[in-house]
Amino acid sequence: MRNILLTFLLLNSFFSYAGIYDTKHFFEKTIIDLGCIKPNSNQVTANFVFHNQTGNIVTIMDVKRTCGCIKIEYPTHPINIQETGNIKVTINVNKVSGYFQKTVLVYGLGIKPTILKIKGKIQ
């Protein structure tokens, strides 16, 4: 495990130095505020739009959720330069009350790991 972690860190620093990871112009927003949500709503959805201006083909390898109330849809095909798409995050608000902030972690080839946040208030 230690060797795997060390290899990952070395490759990550190499690719960052080489300019292969570039998220500067990938996601339009990394935080979406849904505002006030009615308590009788079943689900709310946030769409994180991206436009690949990195100069490289990007492949989203995995998207991790930090809560069981989150459902995620994302493209699994390689994202060409100048291609636009989105990551759709749906939250089951029946399992949430008051203020909330949910986090989604995006891992891919051609971009740095990215944290996406969704926040709002059930009222």
Side-chain angles (χ1 to χ4, degrees):
M1 181 67 179
R2 188 175 184 177
N3 289 338
I4 292 171
L5 180 60
L6 182 59
T7 302
F8 174 77
L9 291 174
L10 287 172
L11 287 173
N12 188 33
S13 63
F14 168 75
F15 289 134
S16 295
Y17 179 75
I20 292 175
Y21 290 149
D22 178 16
T23 55
K24 175 168 67 169
H25 293 104
F26 194 72
F27 286 102
E28 289 182 4
K29 294 181 182 181
T30 56
I31 300 173
I32 294 179
D33 188 345
L34 298 173
C36 294
I37 301 163
K38 294 179 182 177
N40 60 353
S41 303
N42 290 328
Q43 299 178 4
V44 292
T45 300
N47 284 303
F48 289 93
V49 177
F50 59 79
H51 184 76
N52 185 3
Q53 297 177 348
T54 64
N56 300 304
I57 294 175
V58 172
T59 303
I60 297 173
M61 302 301 292
D62 196 13
V63 180
K64 300 281 186 189
R65 59 191 178 154
T66 56
C67 177
C69 64
I70 298 173
K71 179 183 170 191
I72 304 167
E73 295 176 35
Y74 63 95
T76 56
H77 67 279
I79 301 156
N80 293 315
I81 299 168
Q82 301 302 321
E83 186 176 343
T84 300
N86 71 67
I87 294 178
K88 181 178 175 182
V89 179
T90 303
I91 301 171
N92 181 351
V93 293
N94 290 330
K95 299 180 181 181
V96 179
S97 62
Y99 287 100
F100 67 89
Q101 180 171 304
K102 303 296 178 182
T103 303
V104 174
L105 308 165
V106 181
Y107 299 95
L109 298 175
I111 59 170
K112 289 181 182 177
T114 305
I115 297 172
L116 305 176
K117 294 183 180 182
I118 306 102
K119 60 183 181 176
K121 180 182 180 183
I122 307 295
Q123 86 178 51

